[in-house]
Amino acid sequence: MKKQRIVLYSAMAVLAVAAGGGYTAWSMHKTTNTPQAASTAPLVQTASPDGKKVPVSALVANPPSGAHVQSFTLTAQEKSISLGGKTIQAMTFNGTVPGPLLQVRQGDLVEVTVRNQLRVPITVHWHGIPVPGSQDGVPGLTQEPIRPGESHVYRFVADRAGTYWYHSHVNSVQEIGLGLYGGVVVLPKNQIAPAADRDYTLLLHEWSTTTSSSADETMGHTAGMSGMDMGSMGNMGGMDMGSPGGETHMNEMNGMNMGGAGGMNSMSSMSGMAGMPMGAPSLRTQGFQVTDMDWSALGEMAGMYDVYTVNQEAGGKTLLEAKPGETVRLRLVNAGNMTHLMTVIGTPFKVVAIDGRDIANPTPIENQLLPMGAGQRYDIEFTMPKNGPVQLVSGDPEDRARTQLRATIGDAAASGTGSAPDLPDVQHEPWFDFTRYGSGSIPGVQTFTLNQKFDKTFNMDLGVGMGQSGMVYTINGKAFPNVPPFVVNTGETVRIHIENRSAYIHPMHLHGHSFQVLTRDGKPITGSPIFLDTLQVLPGETYDIAFRADNPGLWMFHCHDLHHASAGMDVVVQYAGVTDPYNPMDMSE
């Protein structure tokens, strides 16, 4: 049954693309200039409590006098790169994928000149870094796109130490997919705990090297589905997709005429899949446990990608130097769209930070998989054993991912540079539960409590359904740009209740802020306070999160499975009185 469900998810992805580009709804609307696109907007007219209005372009860095300046140049350019023996025409920063690692010190004024030598517009978003409102890199919302031949300078103070990353925010499915991303490390101004002897940043990514999927922004190739007759896919009754109103449910698709969608005039050949449990899951209440639906959701993109990389290594042969007794910090960045299950074998390890925010009093763990959602970062530390290497490995369902998402840490001379060690079987290890990990609190970090009063509360129901152009992913029953914004005032405390009413995984990313996770599935967090900027929400999960509105601007809150975001799963956190001087038709995910 599990494999059948994975195939069904892939089938629905193909249906969305074939039915009119559902996965590219937002990124395409900026160029179609249809009456519907022109008449909708993700913002509302509102003034701040004092009646003032300020354009987001006026929200700029205000560095302290004498701040140390770190300057970088990122040049976006095409370049042929080799991935696992296959050559693709990539989009690169400074000719490499990932782009150069930007390492700065907390408190530095960071100035990055971005030059666009590509044939398409780009921007750069500083994922997880609380930059000023004008520096967030969302075209049509916080800046104009950087068009071919143009340059743009980003300027912000690196206030918060941690592991972050940067990437284009124009047509992100394609531009990140083809290489426009890189890592950012902000070292602490005052190192309290001893620094690791070895510090490595590893960006995980997945690639499709087929011509059709790398040349445009579709969901990728459909390997493994060649036996499915996409010309007639009817009788899908009983398959409720779980959209919370406003969109067509899958149990309403029986006999639906898909004329104009590549000959999909009926939908009969999927009748054998009718009644399969891919619909809206029951909301969880029994505590964290991995379900069959979770495993099925991991396979949503099965067959879409054929190469997986750690930095630019696709052969699973990454070797990181470390000697017995040394401490090692691995900064893991998920720069793709899939959830990856990563772990370390050969020694116990600690999770010392998630999304750049420290964990209070982490304890050693082993034989656990870290479920890394798209856009998330995990910092882990361990001590090298006296004998033998340590391996970073994957427990992903797909064989190719497990083979290629690997790194060996140890003595280069002893390990040699030949083949990677035997592939370990870690797929059945339990998943790491961040809600019960660590203890106490981080000194000086203000936290929220469940029983306190919040100035604003919002609900975020995550769903999926069928729109006029294909599959859409929704927030509160609507697809972007028709999702009403969450309007806040500067200084307010904000609580958001999130429910995933779909059978898909949604890593929800809030720009410009970190938020504290208060509950999962109705139960309070019992370990260290957890602050994230990207929260992976599994099917049926519910969360309560909270943040202080302390960074005025216009901030996207969207799914970082960018296929979902480009098909509608986005909302704007709009500070009252902040206006958008840019052309909303330039907006792109």
Side-chain angles (χ1 to χ4, degrees):
M1 181 65 75
K2 184 182 298 182
K3 290 183 178 179
Q4 286 180 309
R5 283 186 227 145
I6 291 173
V7 170
L8 182 56
Y9 289 161
S10 299
M12 293 314 303
V14 172
L15 172 61
V17 173
Y23 278 86
T24 62
W26 181 16
S27 57
M28 289 299 290
H29 97 268
K30 65 184 182 295
T31 57
T32 56
N33 201 26
T34 63
Q36 180 183 10
S39 65
T40 58
L43 305 176
V44 296
Q45 295 294 324
T46 181
S48 63
D50 61 7
K52 295 181 179 180
K53 293 185 178 181
V54 59
V56 69
S57 56
L59 302 173
V60 297
N62 185 25
S65 177
H68 180 256
V69 180
Q70 286 272 34
S71 297
F72 304 92
T73 297
L74 296 176
T75 301
Q77 56 194 171
E78 290 187 13
K79 184 178 179 182
S80 294
I81 64 172
S82 178
L83 297 172
K86 300 180 180 181
T87 299
I88 70 165
Q89 194 69 11
M91 297 181 179
T92 72
F93 283 121
N94 296 5
T96 66
V97 178
L101 177 66
L102 308 184
Q103 184 167 292
V104 301
R105 184 74 61 176
Q106 186 179 12
D108 285 351
L109 174 62
V110 182
E111 294 183 342
V112 184
T113 300
V114 177
R115 297 173 177 165
N116 184 8
Q117 296 181 1
L118 296 168
R119 294 170 289 177
V120 294
I122 65 169
T123 61
V124 173
H125 167 59
W126 309 96
H127 189 116
I129 302 176
V131 299
S134 65
Q135 305 299 296
D136 195 44
V138 179
L141 192 67
T142 68
Q143 71 171 89
E144 294 181 351
I146 309 170
R147 304 190 189 280
E150 296 181 346
S151 297
H152 184 87
V153 179
Y154 293 92
R155 196 168 182 264
F156 57 89
V157 176
D159 286 326
R160 185 179 296 153
T163 303
Y164 308 100
W165 64 300
Y166 61 90
H167 59 77
S168 180
H169 216 280
V170 176
N171 190 5
S172 302
V173 172
Q174 180 187 37
E175 295 194 356
I176 298 176
L178 288 177
L180 288 184
Y181 65 92
V184 181
V185 172
V186 181
L187 298 174
K189 184 175 183 179
N190 300 307
Q191 185 77 43
I192 298 175
D197 298 310
R198 306 279 183 168
D199 192 322
Y200 296 107
T201 302
L202 304 176
L203 286 86
L204 314 179
H205 196 61
E206 58 266 356
W207 302 77
S208 179
T209 64
T210 62
T211 302
S212 60
S213 55
S214 61
D216 57 31
E217 57 192 53
T218 64
M219 284 286 291
H221 68 82
T222 56
M225 296 184 60
S226 58
M228 296 184 62
D229 178 7
M230 298 301 293
S232 57
M233 296 176 60
N235 194 17
M236 296 179 70
M239 291 169 49
D240 184 1
M241 289 287 286
S243 171
E247 303 295 343
T248 303
H249 289 246
M250 291 303 297
N251 58 4
E252 298 170 355
M253 289 181 64
N254 190 17
M256 186 174 180
N257 189 333
M258 300 297 288
M264 296 170 61
N265 295 318
S266 66
M267 303 176 70
S268 60
S269 69
M270 288 187 71
S271 58
M273 296 184 181
M276 291 177 62
M278 73 163 294
S282 299
L283 298 182
R284 305 187 189 199
T285 59
Q286 302 301 317
F288 179 65
Q289 54 186 335
V290 181
T291 69
D292 285 347
M293 188 167 283
D294 296 335
W295 283 102
S296 297
L298 285 176
E300 175 192 351
M301 287 172 265
M304 285 170 45
Y305 301 105
D306 59 339
V307 174
Y308 297 83
T309 53
V310 177
N311 291 343
Q312 198 174 329
E313 171 57 50
K317 299 179 182 179
T318 298
L319 180 60
L320 307 174
E321 177 73 14
K323 299 185 181 303
E326 289 186 329
T327 56
V328 178
R329 187 183 190 109
L330 299 183
R331 302 174 185 264
L332 307 179
V333 180
N334 186 347
N337 290 307
M338 301 178 70
T339 295
H340 295 299
L341 306 175
M342 307 302 296
T343 192
V344 165
I345 60 174
T347 188
F349 65 95
K350 296 179 181 180
V351 178
V352 295
I354 307 177
D355 283 2
R357 300 297 296 266
D358 289 344
I359 302 294
N361 303 306
T363 54
I365 61 175
E366 52 188 331
N367 304 319
Q368 292 188 43
L369 296 169
L370 306 178
M372 294 187 62
Q376 285 193 313
R377 289 89 62 211
Y378 273 75
D379 286 27
I380 62 176
E381 287 191 0
F382 53 85
T383 300
M384 289 298 297
K386 293 181 179 179
N387 298 298
V390 171
Q391 292 184 68
L392 173 73
V393 298
S394 165
D396 285 17
E398 194 166 359
D399 292 344
R400 186 180 287 111
R402 294 198 308 277
T403 300
Q404 296 180 338
L405 291 178
R406 307 177 62 192
T408 301
I409 305 95
D411 189 328
S415 300
T417 57
S419 60
D422 292 340
L423 188 66
D425 183 8
V426 298
Q427 289 181 269
H428 302 294
E429 292 181 354
W431 293 13
F432 173 72
D433 182 0
F434 70 86
T435 68
R436 297 185 296 175
Y437 184 69
S439 61
S441 59
I442 300 293
V445 176
Q446 184 179 5
T447 58
F448 297 98
T449 62
L450 276 172
N451 56 5
Q452 76 175 74
K453 181 181 178 180
F454 289 88
D455 298 309
K456 292 283 178 63
T457 59
F458 300 97
N459 290 323
M460 180 181 279
D461 286 350
L462 309 177
V464 60
M466 292 299 295
Q468 293 181 346
S469 298
M471 201 169 183
V472 291
Y473 292 88
T474 61
I475 294 176
N476 298 334
K478 296 182 181 297
F480 195 87
N482 297 315
V483 184
F486 295 164
V487 179
V488 301
N489 293 303
T490 301
E492 288 184 327
T493 55
V494 182
R495 178 170 174 168
I496 301 177
H497 179 71
I498 302 173
E499 295 186 358
N500 185 359
R501 298 178 178 272
S502 79
Y504 296 83
I505 298 172
H506 300 302
M508 301 304 297
H509 171 52
L510 174 60
H511 289 211
H513 305 74
S514 288
F515 50 79
Q516 184 182 345
V517 182
L518 300 177
T519 71
R520 176 163 59 186
D521 301 335
K523 295 178 172 56
I525 302 299
T526 59
S528 165
I530 298 295
F531 291 87
L532 306 174
D533 56 69
T534 310
L535 173 66
Q536 175 165 258
V537 189
L538 298 173
E541 282 194 324
T542 65
Y543 284 94
D544 288 280
I545 66 172
F547 67 94
R548 185 173 298 277
D550 57 3
N551 191 10
L554 304 172
W555 305 103
M556 297 305 306
F557 197 172
H558 66 89
C559 183
H560 223 276
D561 179 335
L562 297 168
H563 305 300
H564 299 174
S566 64
M569 192 166 277
D570 319 80
V571 66
V572 177
V573 175
Q574 177 181 359
Y575 277 66
V578 178
T579 63
D580 178 8
Y582 303 108
N583 184 356
M585 295 300 293
D586 285 330
M587 280 194 190
S588 176
E589 180 49 79

